[in-house]
């Protein structure tokens, strides 16, 4: 349904020529994200300042029109698909790094700044922002915050929630506000910053973020361990995380994933029952002892080979299997179902074993890999035809039930969006969901912000 003329007039008053579009081609470009789901918005706007966002929210609220914030659309859950039409606000033009402050270990950025661009800007100062999703070269800070998206470094440095000091935002009632601090300590009122991070644009639209920076370690060492079977590798993860040295990356790749990567990437990818990719960072004076401690924990029953890279070239070679995984999966199934469940690390062996059993039970190919140091695994179901697709969806429900039974939860970094909404009552009890709905109502009384997402 086209927007009411009165609302269009308000939008034209707020956004200059070129910053508002109702053309079908432009609307189609903002109708989908990496989930492959799509729905056509009625208009797309491109804010460049906080005041425009306040005016936009007030206008949409006054006319009861849905409003969906969008970063770069790299999420896999349908979180930015405008399922009820309305207006998509693309923050790609709010892409300024406003301040880099090494003395206070912080940076202030707009939401459209790309993660990779921020990391490059921080390099001369000797700092980095720890969240490192695979999509870092093209995903935005705003999107990282909306979904609490992280990556391999989370095991040591934490997710966006642990690396964000404060936010500026506009709630669904049209009121702008600031939350958080410019300091590393703060005990003043409710922590709205952590509440907004991971809320997927359902509570407020973020217009500025104050990020906590971390000094960049001067050295990194890469290890690759192959194992007889997935259980041996999973038990090694638990041993590594039970000793004092925390790796900055601890990645798990199962046997099915290794075979796919080997077929795609060649002999540089080993064939084994499972593999761990491990990185340890620090200063040269202490790095050798840290690597020795992690290597000792990696050794144990089922270990086949443990290699430590001695050069940058060898490091790239060791990571070849992980790099080959995504293109390899696409050759098998363009309709893969990519989930990112998470369990306590001590339960990782049971999760890996249970997924193997579910793959056999439902006769569906499942590739499992991911951030094992957090217990966060990417479970990729690869249906190749309609019959397998139906079995895959039944299998997915069993995967989630298994995860919950192991004290885990539905998502470690992708978020809920549309695709996992129906499973939220499995993960959270009714009283918890009721509190969440009350919070949603407080921020967004008329429910205009990203409707049809996150809460069932």
């Amino acid at each position: 349904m086209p927007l009411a003329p009165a609302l269009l007039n308000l939008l034209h008053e707020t956004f200059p020529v070129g910053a508002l579009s109702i053309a079908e081609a432009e609307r189609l470009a903002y109708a989908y994200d990496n989930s492959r789901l799509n729905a056509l918005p009625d208009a797309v706007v491109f804010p460049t300042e906080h005041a425009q966002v306040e005016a936009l929210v007030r206008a949409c609220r006054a006319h009861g029109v849905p409003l969906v914030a969008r970063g770069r659309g790299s999420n896999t859950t349908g979180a930015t698909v405008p399922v009820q039409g309305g207006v998509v606000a693309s923050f790609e033009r709010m892409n300024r790094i406003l301040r880099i402050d090494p003395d206070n270990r912080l940076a202030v950025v707009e939401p459209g700044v790309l993660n990779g661009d921020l990391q490059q800007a921080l390099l001369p100062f000797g700092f980095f922002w720890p969240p490192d999703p695979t999509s870092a070269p093209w995903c935005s800070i705003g999107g990282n915050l909306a979904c609490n998206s992280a990556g391999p470094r989370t095991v040591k440095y934490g997710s966006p929630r642990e690396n964000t000091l404060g936010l500026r935002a506009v709630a669904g009632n049209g009121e702008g506000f600031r939350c958080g601090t410019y300091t590393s300590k703060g005990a003043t009122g409710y922590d709205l910053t952590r509440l907004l991070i991971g809320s997927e644009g359902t509570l407020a639209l973020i217009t500025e973020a104050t990020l906590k920076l971390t000094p960049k370690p001067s050295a990194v060492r890469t290890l690759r361990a192959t194992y007889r079977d997935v259980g041996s590798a999973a038990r090694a993860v638990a041993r590594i995380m039970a000793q004092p040295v925390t790796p900055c990356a601890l990645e798990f790749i199962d046997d099915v994933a290794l075979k796919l990567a080997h077929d795609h990437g060649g002999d540089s990818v080993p064939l084994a029952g499972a593999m761990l990719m491990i990185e340890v960072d620090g200063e040269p004076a202490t790095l050798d002892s840290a690597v020795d401690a992690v290597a000792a924990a990696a050794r144990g029953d089922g270990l086949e080979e443990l290699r430590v890279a001695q050069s940058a070239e060898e490091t790239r070679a060791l990571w070849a299997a992980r790099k080959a995984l995504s293109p390899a999966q696409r050759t098998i199934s363009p309709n893969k179902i990519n989930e990112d469940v998470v369990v306590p690390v001590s339960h990782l062996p049971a999760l890996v074993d249970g997924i193997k059993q579910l793959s056999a039970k439902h006769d569906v190919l499942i590739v499992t890999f991911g951030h094992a140091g957090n217990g966060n695994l990417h479970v990729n179901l690869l249906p190749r035809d309609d019959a397998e697709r139906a079995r895959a969806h039944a299998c997915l429900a069993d995967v989630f039930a298994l995860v919950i039974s192991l004290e885990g939860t539905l998502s470690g970094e992708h978020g809920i969006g549309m695709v996992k909404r129906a499973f939220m009552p499995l993960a959270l009890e009714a009283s918890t969901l009721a509190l969440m709905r009350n919070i949603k109502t407080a921020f967004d009384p008329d429910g205009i912000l990203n409707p049809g997402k996150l809460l069932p």
Side-chain angles (χ1 to χ4, degrees):
M1 181 185 298
L3 297 180
L7 175 56
L8 265 179
N9 288 338
L10 284 173
L11 296 180
H12 279 296
E13 291 172 8
T14 303
F15 295 96
V17 174
L20 162 65
S21 179
I22 56 173
E24 184 174 7
E26 191 113 52
R27 289 156 53 214
L28 280 168
Y30 293 86
Y32 64 93
D33 57 24
N34 200 34
S35 69
R36 300 183 303 276
L37 301 170
N38 68 86
L40 196 65
D42 300 303
V44 183
V45 297
F46 303 91
T48 56
E49 59 184 34
H50 177 89
Q52 288 179 331
V53 180
E54 286 192 358
L56 170 65
V57 176
R58 287 195 295 267
C60 287
R61 185 187 182 197
H63 289 82
V65 169
L67 175 58
V68 178
R70 180 185 174 96
R72 291 302 178 101
S74 59
N75 79 89
T76 62
T77 67
T80 55
V81 175
V83 288
Q84 296 183 20
V87 178
V88 166
S90 174
F91 282 90
E92 63 198 83
R93 299 182 189 176
M94 287 187 75
N95 60 355
R96 294 177 299 166
I97 298 173
L98 302 173
R99 174 182 168 192
I100 295 176
D101 185 348
D103 291 349
N104 292 303
R105 295 191 174 189
L106 64 84
V108 181
V109 305
E110 291 181 330
V113 172
L114 298 186
N115 183 302
D117 288 350
L118 174 63
Q119 307 296 1
Q120 288 298 312
L122 295 174
L123 276 178
F125 298 92
F127 284 84
F128 72 108
W129 191 54
D132 60 333
T134 305
S135 56
W138 58 86
C139 68
S140 69
I141 299 297
N144 296 166
L145 298 173
C147 296
N148 196 33
S149 303
R153 285 196 297 241
T154 310
V155 64
K156 181 172 183 177
Y157 295 105
S159 71
R161 279 201 177 105
E162 289 75 50
N163 291 281
T164 304
L165 298 172
L167 299 170
R168 190 182 190 193
V170 181
N173 61 9
E175 295 293 324
F177 64 96
R178 289 184 180 272
C179 56
T181 65
Y182 291 100
T183 58
S184 59
K185 294 177 72 174
T188 310
Y190 298 125
D191 192 345
L192 299 183
T193 301
R194 289 177 68 92
L195 176 62
L196 292 186
I197 295 171
S199 64
E200 302 183 18
T202 62
L203 302 179
L205 275 58
I206 295 169
T207 60
E208 182 182 295
T210 302
L211 307 176
K212 183 175 78 173
L213 304 182
T214 298
K216 194 167 183 64
S218 59
V220 179
R221 200 76 58 79
T222 301
L223 301 83
R224 186 177 78 185
T226 53
Y227 294 87
R228 179 182 61 229
D229 51 50
V230 292
S232 299
R235 289 188 291 274
V237 170
R239 289 196 304 272
I240 291 168
M241 294 309 297
Q243 52 84 48
V245 176
T246 303
C248 63
L250 178 48
E251 300 288 291
F252 169 91
I253 305 175
D254 76 359
D255 55 330
V256 181
L258 283 174
K259 186 176 186 313
L260 281 177
H262 181 87
D263 292 345
H264 186 84
D267 291 338
S268 61
V269 179
L271 290 174
M275 185 173 81
L276 297 181
M277 291 298 305
I278 311 162
E279 286 197 337
V280 181
D281 64 5
E283 300 310 304
T286 59
L287 193 57
D288 284 345
S289 62
V291 169
D292 289 344
V294 171
R299 293 188 178 95
D301 181 52
L303 177 71
E304 292 183 341
E305 182 189 37
L306 178 62
R307 292 179 58 186
V308 180
Q310 301 299 326
S311 66
E313 184 178 348
E314 194 171 352
T315 296
R316 284 192 293 272
L318 292 186
W319 277 103
R322 186 65 174 83
K323 300 287 186 186
L325 266 178
S326 290
Q329 287 182 89
R330 283 195 291 269
T331 66
I332 297 293
S333 173
N335 300 303
K336 73 171 182 175
I337 301 171
N338 177 18
E339 297 300 342
D340 74 316
V341 298
V342 56
V343 298
V345 172
S346 63
H347 294 331
L348 199 59
L351 174 63
V352 169
D353 182 59
I355 288 171
K356 284 281 185 189
Q357 293 178 34
L358 291 175
S359 176
K361 172 186 173 183
H362 292 276
D363 191 20
V364 174
L365 182 65
I366 300 180
V367 171
T368 306
F369 60 92
H371 318 309
N374 303 109
N376 178 203
L377 292 188
H378 295 278
V379 180
N380 294 266
L381 292 78
L382 303 178
R384 290 160 288 191
D385 54 40
D386 289 342
E388 287 192 359
R389 197 170 299 123
R391 296 201 301 272
H393 285 288
C395 181
L396 182 61
D398 283 353
V399 169
F400 287 146
L402 170 66
V403 167
I404 299 303
S405 74
L406 294 173
E407 301 180 319
T409 195
L410 303 178
S411 176
E413 58 188 9
H414 291 176
I416 302 301
M418 295 165 60
V419 299
K420 293 184 218 180
R421 275 181 81 207
F423 297 100
M424 285 285 275
L426 187 66
L428 301 172
E429 57 190 7
S431 58
T432 304
L433 288 170
L435 284 170
M436 289 184 176
R437 291 191 183 95
N438 290 340
I439 291 169
K440 165 74 171 170
T441 300
F443 275 86
D444 182 21
D446 299 315
I448 64 166
L449 295 186
N450 210 7
K453 313 293 172 56
L454 201 135
L455 294 178

